[in-house]
Amino acid sequence: MRSKRVLSAVAVAAIAGLVVTACGSGDGDGGSDGAGEINLSLGEPKSLIPPNIGETEGGAIARLVYSGLYDYGNDGSLVPVIADGQPTTTDNKVWTIKLKTGFKFQNGEEINAELFKKSWDFAVDGRNANGGSYFFSKISGFADTQSGADPDGEEGPKKGADPKADELTGVKAVDATTLEITLDKPWVIFPQLLGYTAFFPTAEGCRTAVDACNETPIGNGPFKFVGKWEHETAIKLTRWDEYTAEKSSYKDLNFKIYTGSSVAWPDFQAGTVDIAAPTPDAYNDAKSTYGDKMIEADSPSTWSLGYPVYDEIFSDVKVRQAFSMAIDRQAIIDAIFQGQGKVLDSLTPSMIPGFKAGTCAYCKVDVEGAKALLDSSKWTKGKKLELWTNTSPTGEKILKAIGDQLNKNLGIEYELKTLEWPEYLQKKTDQEITGPFFTGWQPDYPSIENYMAPLYSSIAKDGSDNDFGFYNAQYEALMAEGDTAPDMNAANAKYQEAETILGTELPIAPLFTRMTSTVIGERIDFDSVNRNPILGTIDFVKLKLA
Amino acid sequence: MSDANVQVTAAVVPKTQKTRSLWSDAFHDLRKRPTVVISALVILVMLLIGFFPGLFNFQGQNPKACDLALTRGGMSGSHWFGFDEFGCDYYAQAIYGAGPSIQLAIIVVTATLLIGGLFGVLAGFYGGWVDAIFSRAVDVFNSIPFLLGAMLLLTMFRDWKIPGLGTRFQAIIPAAITLIIFSWTGTMRLIRASVIESRGLDYVQAARSLGASDRRIMFRHILPNAMAPVVSLIPLSIAGMITAEASLSFLGLGVRPPEITWGMMISTGAGYFTTGYPRLLLVPSAFLIITILAFVLLGDAIRDALDPKLR
Amino acid sequence: MGRYVIRRLLQAVLTFGVVMFLLHYLMSLAIQINGNPVRTFFGDKPVSPELLAATKAKFGLDDPCLSRVGDPCLNLFGKRMSDWASFDFGTNFNRADVSELILNAIPKTLQLFLIVTIVWVLFGITAGVLAAMRRGRFLDYLVRIGTTLTIAIPGFLLLILTQKIIGVWLGNWAREEFGRDSVLGIMFQPSYNARYPWLTLLVPGIVLGIFGIAGITRLSRTSMLENLRADFVRTAKAKGLRQRRVTIVHTLRNSLIPVITLIGFTLADALGGSVITEGIYGIPGMGKLAYDAVKKVDTPVIIAVTAILSVSYMLVNLLIDLLYAVLDPRIRYE
């Protein structure tokens, strides 16, 4: 999934904190007779058109109102929903997916292979500017569906040249229940993408009236919209009884939207909200009060300290390694996040398929070793370090803590530079950052490849096309071997080798993953709570009232 | 004058002939009141803390030498206020936190007086289209809500660097400029009203008939008298600026790190109030309230003392 | 009087135009200096230049003037003004209709400020008047100390403290004692609850009212004091009218004129200043709308909200001046 921004505590709290309150009558309506209401909390989604969804809020709603070919199981495997069985292939290049019959949209449209093709053509078409279109980038014919480059000149904005093709030639609807996808190159990981919201089907009625569909989605999932999306206030859903797969045991699902700095936790404390995630400051308090009703879990999002490898001083790997060894990650977690975090000793978190522990060779704190390394490196004594972040409270706190530690352990003076987010992102892309910078990653699909390729791979041999200016020939070779490996295990083995190189060359110093804690209230049957560690959310459909 | 604004905003204009005795009268009166003396002392202490924090850093802790291991540590003999979440000494932070707020307030009030004063005199003295332009400008600035405008300006100029200024001033300048932009209108109106009232007075006519130039009349005769109502408002304005800066810091917009201010300390401490570490909120709040209270009490007293109507 | 009103209206239109342009310039400058906000939609993910360009176009932020610092972007300004002329106020980054957002937000802010105004009138004016009537005695000192304290404690601090103390501690006690659905239980919430708008707005409204009450109380007191010593009051007393009639009928009415003016100004001012209150209590009103929009650099919302606030400010100004002319026969405009 995409990151809305380097996750602020609020976003984490709002998403992982799924609030359940039976409202109205005040006593739990039995789940068995299908009635009852559940209230949850959410941040404001950016979009409810599936191929345009790039953040967790939109994704949360989309997974209730829509359903796609596959869903992700708790272990990251593909669980067929509309698809019939796993995707099959003989050469990892051409993939065949069979569909079940009987699925339709809430407006009656029938779901078949042709509809999927049309949905995906719509998703990639450059004119629609869907944020999730890059998920299709490895499918043959993708380039032709993109608009021409931005030709804006002095006279004013011009539209990019229209796409050369208005369909994605790599996708074919062989018959009503068979989809055939052809990739540019063989890529064994490809199926892992298919559970993502970008691949969800969209109705014809939606594609021809996109703005209306954004306000009242025409879904095909276990829930349907009641009324419109009340921006920044609420989203109300109700069970769609004609859904042919698993439905909820309760009837209504309401989301109260919290924006800006308001969070659900005070409402939880006051009793109007039964499940929420405590704010970081309130964590200890919550743990002692609600201990056994609290679910604490790892999040698949990682935070790291990126290095400007293109910079003279930081091009020296010893500097990067020394800094990484001088950071006491656990201390930061304990102090700033009340222990709600897990130190990373690899580049990927543990729940991701293909994870290998300990690939980062310099993630353990070792002050003496760090000092020794620094002395023998290009680092000039007395130089003032610049630490960069965007203006999120989390980023600023983490970087201040790191700066303080580097000061204490290595005697380096630091200066914190904060930029507004758009400027920060732009400077990163333009490689204008002059010191270590705060960076994070939220996975798009469950594979360790996703934590590496989009970030550190590069076409240019001087690494000029990634944010870090990092290029390593051996790493590139290993990633290519992984991409073309015959099966997942072989692929993961190669990816792990590539990861080990990253763990020594350190384009970033992996820091930690956040843990999310969610407290379940009395109105919910605790045993019905199923948290999917890959998606980082609770499965709402499976919830039962107590 | 048929201008309604004159009636509302003209505070107090002391009669010219009695000015000198009014001031010394006021001074003698104020000297004897305990609240005034205490407030003045508190202000003096705070000013000293603000400009010479090193003097008050009795325990010699460096507020920037933070050790995460000591996070949220409690009060102890060598750390009077314990530690904050980063393991920085809280007492030192509170001491060093005074400077930016107080310096900012003084800079802003001084600049506002100069700018507002100048504009007010020009507008009040010349009237006509000069006055019209200034009045429209006042309307424009007043109709942009303070916080919105401040947020916009401050997010734009976060990293503005003026070459040659020390880091302390770098951190203050953006917030200072923003506050000046949004406060000059108040002073300008006050002075303009005063100037309009004194414009028609006899001594001005006399000076004019003796051939005094416009500038001479404006600055030698009218301005000193027009300033009186404003002078008594200086401590209150300072209090207001300290509050405004604290509000901005609370929103994360005020003075930039690594400078510390009480507003920032309150912002981070607020979350800990009900979750076990109320000290983190109470310490900076106490400092802030005491300082503001001192200025307010002093300002009130001065204004009452200078108000002939209440004699 | 008619000519005066027309002249004021023309001035208001001019001011409005200047404010709109100034704001537009400020927003364009913000985008030029800080980068195009559209870039943040993709976060740390790499985004192809084509997709970025297409997304910019989608949100009307693709004019090249936005990459030149200082360019006043007159095209964009003209386009926005002409859109407004046809009542199209644009959409925000989440494709929500700006006019809808504003229409949803205004009632909450108005509700909040209704409570605030009641607090001002009920407590502020009463306290000020009583203090004036009992000048020098205990009540007077109490009121003066009270107002001084409310000036000294910054608003946001008071709000945080009340949110924690009343919303959480007191509220949890109330909910345990009297039940979750009791009046007290609902009132003492740490945040706004749309199901019980008035009850949950009471506490933040009162706190916000306290925060601004000092000026009104003091002005009431001063104004009352002035009038109590005025000649016409002594005349009335000499005529033998009863104390209370003298107070209410004669003094109060005259004292209220400047107070009403102050209330008007403070209200217009405060409409924009409710940002902190709404943020802390999660009230989905104009302040919160504006604050969230500024954080995201969501231009259509910011400009629309500011336009409304600025228009209300000018209207209030005009109304007060007219009211003044009506109430005080010494004032005449030509």
Side-chain angles (χ1 to χ4, degrees), chain A residues 365-379:
Chain A
V365 62
D366 173 7
V367 179
E368 292 310 315
K371 279 198 200 143
L373 256 185
L374 199 66
D375 283 338
S376 69
S377 75
K378 276 198 199 157
W379 177 262

Side-chain angles (χ1 to χ4, degrees), chain A residues 189-423:
Chain A
I189 298 289
F190 177 70
Q192 289 298 96
L193 276 67
L194 291 170
Y196 192 67
T197 41
F199 293 93
F200 282 8
T202 42
E204 176 93 23
C206 184
R207 284 177 261 120
T208 48
V210 177
D211 282 340
C213 186
N214 194 36
E215 301 299 308
T216 309
I218 304 171
N220 66 325
F223 288 92
K224 71 174 194 244
F225 254 68
V226 173
K228 285 167 49 165
W229 173 8
E230 291 167 51
H231 288 272
E232 306 200 0
T233 309
I235 286 180
K236 293 188 173 48
L237 305 176
T238 189
R239 180 180 60 224
W240 186 41
D241 291 311
E242 293 149 63
Y243 184 56
T244 45
E246 184 182 0
K247 294 194 280 277
S248 63
S249 60
Y250 53 91
K251 186 152 191 309
D252 294 318
L253 184 54
N254 300 321
F255 287 89
K256 179 175 170 191
I257 296 181
Y258 293 83
T259 59
S261 50
S262 56
V263 285
W265 183 248
D267 283 338
F268 178 89
Q269 285 184 299
T272 45
V273 156
D274 282 328
I275 299 183
T279 51
D281 316 316
Y283 171 72
N284 281 325
D285 197 45
K287 189 139 189 187
S288 55
T289 322
Y290 304 102
D292 56 350
K293 289 300 187 85
M294 191 187 257
I295 300 180
E296 296 193 272
D298 242 342
S299 143
S301 311
T302 61
W303 279 330
S304 314
L305 189 67
Y307 290 115
V309 182
Y310 46 82
D311 178 272
E312 164 84 42
I313 302 229
F314 288 96
S315 63
D316 182 354
V317 69
K318 289 197 204 146
V319 176
R320 310 200 291 269
Q321 291 164 345
F323 277 21
S324 182
M325 283 203 288
I327 300 175
D328 185 351
R329 293 153 173 80
Q330 191 61 50
I332 299 181
I333 292 175
D334 290 335
I336 311 294
F337 301 111
Q338 274 86 321
Q340 259 193 305
K342 221 154 135 191
V343 172
L344 273 176
D345 66 348
S346 302
L347 269 77
T348 68
S350 52
M351 84 288 289
I352 302 294
F355 166 74
K356 180 171 175 197
T359 54
C360 173
Y362 295 88
C363 288
K364 285 209 190 358
V365 62
D366 173 7
V367 179
E368 292 310 315
K371 279 198 200 143
L373 256 185
L374 199 66
D375 283 338
S376 69
S377 75
K378 276 198 199 157
W379 177 262
T380 37
K381 276 212 185 331
K383 175 172 153 71
K384 194 158 184 198
L385 183 67
E386 287 181 338
L387 292 173
W388 295 71
T389 177
N390 70 316
T391 56
S392 73
T394 322
E396 292 180 11
K397 281 191 182 182
I398 293 180
L399 244 59
K400 177 172 176 5
I402 290 180
D404 287 338
Q405 286 189 329
L406 291 175
N407 188 356
K408 179 171 150 218
N409 293 336
L410 296 175
I412 298 178
E413 290 247 339
Y414 74 96
E415 187 191 335
L416 210 51
K417 298 183 85 67
T418 48
L419 296 173
E420 291 301 316
W421 208 24
E423 203 189 346

Side-chain angles (χ1 to χ4, degrees), chain A residues 459-480:
Chain A
I459 308 171
K461 286 212 177 12
D462 55 356
S464 51
D465 47 351
N466 62 46
D467 286 352
F468 310 91
F470 175 78
Y471 179 82
N472 180 296
Q474 211 189 352
Y475 159 80
E476 295 287 335
L478 284 167
M479 291 298 280

Side-chain angles (χ1 to χ4, degrees), chain C residues 7-28:
Chain C
R7 203 175 70 212
R8 285 293 298 268
L9 282 176
L10 284 176
Q11 284 173 357
V13 169
L14 176 66
T15 312
F16 182 70
V18 173
V19 170
M20 282 297 101
F21 183 71
L22 206 60
L23 215 41
H24 161 84
Y25 188 68
L26 211 58
M27 293 305 306
S28 308

Side-chain angles (χ1 to χ4, degrees), chain C residues 120-132 139 143 217 220:
Chain C
W120 285 345
V121 170
L122 224 49
F123 294 116
I125 296 186
T126 320
V129 165
L130 285 177
L139 191 61
V143 167
T217 310
S220 309

